Amino acid sequence: MSKVKNILFVMADQLRADYLSCYGHPALKTPHIDRLAARGMRFDRAYVQAPVCGPSRMSTYTGRYVSTHGSTYNGVPLRVGEMTMGDHLRPLGLRTALVGKTHMAADRLGMARLGVSRETIEGVFASECGFEPYERDDGLWPDEASPEDVPYNRYLREKGYDVANPWHEFANSGRGENGEALSGWLLRNARLPATVKEEHSETAYMTDRAMDFIAEAGEEPWCLHLSYIKPHWPYIAPAPYHAMYGPGDVLPANRSEEERRDPHPVFAAFMRHEEGENFAREEVRQAVIPAYMGLISQVDDHFGRLWAFLEARGLTENTMVVVTSDHGDYLGDHWLGEKELFHEESVRIPLIVYDPSAKADATRGTASDLLVEAIDLAPTFVEAAGGVVPGHVLEGRSLLPIIRGEANGDWRDAVFSECDYGFRKARQLLGREPGDARGYMVRTTRWKYVEFNGYRPQLFDLQADPRELTDLGADPAHADIRQELHERLFTWLRTRRMRVTISDSEVERRTDTHKTRGIYFGVW
């Protein structure tokens, strides 16, 4: 094993931690990702900083909490000037590129104000979350989105799928008895095979494009973010993956009638969303979850193909490989669909890190139960690439001491996540203003505490109630615990890293030096 030269950063959108066999799913088989876990370290308590695509990714890419970078929901631009992985890694000599999705929304007003043109290389990086967009595709191209210029659609047309929007009509639709397209947007069609050939599907195509980049990069050091579009909806898989699992493989829903009797108001509003009402029906779960599982197995198979590609070129000897997700998927648990709230199904993610360095040999095949956050990846990559982690900017912590068995026991005892539901129907149902629809979570080893502006808190005892079925947010016996965690959350909010233009070491150098600079104040 040698030191890290390259970084392969794989993210599968909407992949639950407990939907990999190495994380304990009894029916779903993911042998290739399992083998990565056997070669590296599996983190069993990894959490996103927002359980929805856009802000979660912005936190992962910047290494900063949502309250710090300000991109609170999908489509909310990341402020121009926020540094991302690419901005930290390029000066260390790594070509940093993207294949797949980011959910990045460019701060076009900010760029215009500063005179930064999209046509310049600086403008490209500012618009693409710091990545070279080798092949950006956010993976949602309904007819209304005018997808004619999407490279994947052009590719499909070249393969003979000669319609205006083959992404929808072939890659994400099945066929009815009379040959009509049956849209994957409709959950009832999840049992059908997608009409596209498997080798032309989004997962296969993005894997091919990742291999194109790696081959093109040659000996140049690189960080490639391969961001798989699936298993995110539309829930429809190509053959043979559509039939790989069936209703007998669907686990019972994690929910109870008690949750619906007197729910927290925000929780109750989300249960009234269309996805919540539909996933509360068992027939929907039985139709959708096998397709979701098939899409995961497809990602796993193509990850195995990519690993073999790396291995054949000797790149597994010097490439750090990470597999993770941007959030989970309720799939009917807690009477909910989608994600966005703070139950484990939504906010906890898989995180597997393979470090080629010999320093990591002692921890290979092990699992860590330390509390880690998605923002830890940015400092991990900086340190692995030989850089100095800018602690006044990055709010995460490098995982290398854990992976290399050098941790000294000084690790965090809580993780944090945030929610902005201002864009969702739940806000209207509750009659709240857009700027006042926010939620915050702090999770310790035992407790999970949640505050939504304007409402009582939620509290779960994860030791006694790991399934999070009993909300202790109004229980008088737990008032002291709630107050303690409220203060913990308040302390966290007060300590965000806002001073990013000058380092702590420079502050130290300048402290109490005014007289040496000829400046005297308060002198008699």
Side-chain angles (χ1 to χ4, degrees):
M1 298 289 177
S2 62
K3 66 178 184 179
V4 174
K5 177 184 176 184
N6 311 307
I7 299 169
L8 175 61
F9 170 31
V10 180
M11 180 178 282
D13 198 334
Q14 204 147 315
L15 172 61
R16 276 174 57 152
D18 56 348
Y19 270 66
L20 294 172
S21 47
C22 58
Y23 277 88
H25 197 288
L28 209 161
K29 304 304 178 187
T30 51
H32 303 290
I33 295 175
D34 293 357
R35 279 194 285 272
L36 183 74
R39 296 178 179 107
M41 175 172 274
R42 188 186 79 228
F43 290 88
D44 286 348
R45 291 177 175 175
Y47 292 84
V48 292
Q49 277 47 78
V52 71
C53 301
S56 173
R57 289 166 178 272
M58 297 310 105
S59 283
T60 303
Y61 301 152
T62 63
R64 289 156 62 78
Y65 291 106
V66 176
S67 283
T68 312
H69 62 66
S71 178
T72 62
Y73 196 73
N74 297 341
V76 177
L78 182 69
R79 284 189 300 259
V80 65
E82 281 285 342
M83 294 184 69
T84 65
M85 286 178 181
D87 301 309
H88 293 295
L89 293 175
R90 276 192 301 277
L92 301 176
L94 277 70
R95 180 183 175 189
T96 306
L98 164 73
V99 169
K101 73 186 299 182
T102 63
H103 252 288
M104 165 71 173
D107 181 8
R108 301 196 181 279
L109 291 177
M111 291 172 64
R113 185 180 73 253
L114 299 173
V116 179
S117 170
R118 179 67 171 77
E119 305 307 313
T120 65
I121 189 64
E122 294 82 6
V124 170
F125 289 142
S127 301
E128 299 291 349
C129 217
F131 295 107
E132 170 195 336
Y134 191 82
E135 174 102 14
R136 177 176 173 177
D137 189 329
D138 279 2
L140 293 175
W141 303 113
D143 291 340
E144 294 81 356
S146 301
E148 287 80 11
D149 293 325
V150 177
Y152 178 59
N153 263 349
R154 294 200 298 268
Y155 164 82
L156 288 177
R157 290 192 201 97
E158 290 169 1
K159 296 297 181 182
Y161 305 92
D162 193 17
V163 296
N165 186 1
W167 174 88
H168 177 255
E169 193 163 334
F170 288 92
N172 285 282
S173 288
R175 285 289 179 270
E177 293 181 357
N178 299 315
E180 71 276 19
L182 298 178
S183 175
W185 288 111
L186 303 179
L187 299 179
R188 69 172 71 98
N189 295 327
R191 292 188 178 95
L192 299 172
T195 311
V196 75
K197 293 180 180 178
E198 193 282 325
E199 62 266 28
H200 301 150
S201 67
E202 291 167 292
T203 298
Y205 173 76
M206 292 304 169
T207 306
D208 290 341
R209 294 297 285 145
M211 294 190 292
D212 290 343
F213 169 83
I214 293 167
E216 178 186 302
E219 293 301 313
E220 181 182 10
W222 47 264
C223 171
L224 174 63
H225 180 32
L226 170 57
S227 186
Y228 283 119
I229 294 162
K230 299 298 185 180
H232 191 285
W233 43 259
Y235 302 105
I236 189 165
Y241 296 98
H242 78 292
M244 188 170 286
Y245 302 99
D249 299 309
V250 175
L251 301 180
N254 177 32
R255 60 196 186 195
S256 70
E257 289 297 332
E258 182 63 30
E259 289 181 294
R260 295 204 287 188
R261 287 195 187 101
D262 185 24
H264 185 281
V266 177
F267 180 21
F270 271 84
M271 282 193 282
R272 290 174 61 189
H273 282 187
E274 189 169 11
E275 70 274 7
E277 292 178 345
N278 282 327
F279 272 102
R281 297 160 51 201
E282 192 58 28
E283 66 179 292
V284 173
R285 297 183 71 251
Q286 297 291 329
V288 170
I289 293 177
Y292 178 77
M293 294 169 67
L295 289 167
I296 294 169
S297 281
Q298 186 190 19
V299 167
D300 181 75
D301 282 346
H302 284 282
F303 175 76
R305 185 164 67 93
L306 181 57
W307 179 272
F309 177 88
L310 294 173
E311 205 165 37
R313 287 156 180 77
L315 293 174
T316 56
E317 296 298 311
N318 59 16
T319 301
M320 172 175 279
V321 181
V322 172
V323 171
T324 189
S325 180
D326 57 348
H327 51 74
D329 191 328
Y330 275 110
L331 299 171
D333 290 342
H334 305 287
W335 310 99
L336 295 170
E338 275 293 272
K339 51 270 184 183
E340 296 194 46
L341 299 185
F342 299 113
H343 298 95
E344 294 287 282
E345 291 87 349
S346 176
V347 75
R348 176 173 168 250
I349 53 168
L351 177 59
I352 300 167
V353 181
Y354 162 76
D355 179 358
S357 170
K359 295 179 181 179
D361 287 351
T363 66
R364 297 195 189 283
T366 64
S368 170
D369 64 358
L370 293 174
L371 291 166
V372 302
E373 298 180 308
I375 56 173
D376 295 335
L377 288 176
T380 300
F381 294 168
V382 170
E383 185 175 358
V388 176
V389 176
H392 66 295
V393 177
L394 298 181
E395 296 182 306
R397 299 180 60 175
S398 172
L399 300 174
L400 283 193
I402 301 171
I403 295 165
R404 296 178 176 179
E406 300 166 354
N408 59 13
D410 178 23
W411 192 252
R412 69 167 64 90
D413 61 358
V415 292
F416 300 86
S417 191
E418 302 174 60
C419 165
D420 176 355
Y421 64 98
F423 294 82
R424 301 287 274 138
K425 182 180 179 181
R427 176 185 66 79
Q428 296 175 322
L429 293 173
L430 293 167
R432 303 202 68 82
E433 295 297 321
D436 198 27
R438 299 290 297 275
Y440 304 88
M441 178 204 85
V442 54
R443 187 230 198 264
T444 67
T445 300
R446 177 171 179 178
W447 302 100
K448 180 179 289 184
Y449 176 80
V450 175
E451 283 196 18
F452 288 100
N453 292 352
Y455 299 102
R456 70 160 178 85
Q458 290 181 290
L459 178 70
F460 297 95
D461 183 347
L462 301 177
Q463 180 176 299
D465 176 32
R467 296 173 60 196
E468 300 176 283
L469 298 177
T470 303
D471 182 359
L472 303 171
D475 182 4
H478 291 83
D480 289 346
I481 292 294
R482 291 195 299 273
Q483 182 61 32
E484 176 186 331
L485 292 170
H486 170 84
E487 290 301 320
R488 183 64 185 270
L489 185 60
F490 184 43
T491 298
W492 169 78
L493 284 167
R494 296 198 313 269
T495 54
R496 296 305 89 241
R497 291 177 187 169
M498 302 298 189
R499 176 178 40 77
V500 299
T501 55
I502 187 170
S503 67
D504 289 350
S505 60
E506 180 64 13
V507 173
E508 289 281 2
R509 190 186 69 79
R510 293 190 191 182
T511 300
D512 200 30
T513 61
H514 55 284
K515 289 184 179 179
T516 65
R517 293 181 282 117
I519 299 171
Y520 295 83
F521 48 86
V523 177
W524 183 258

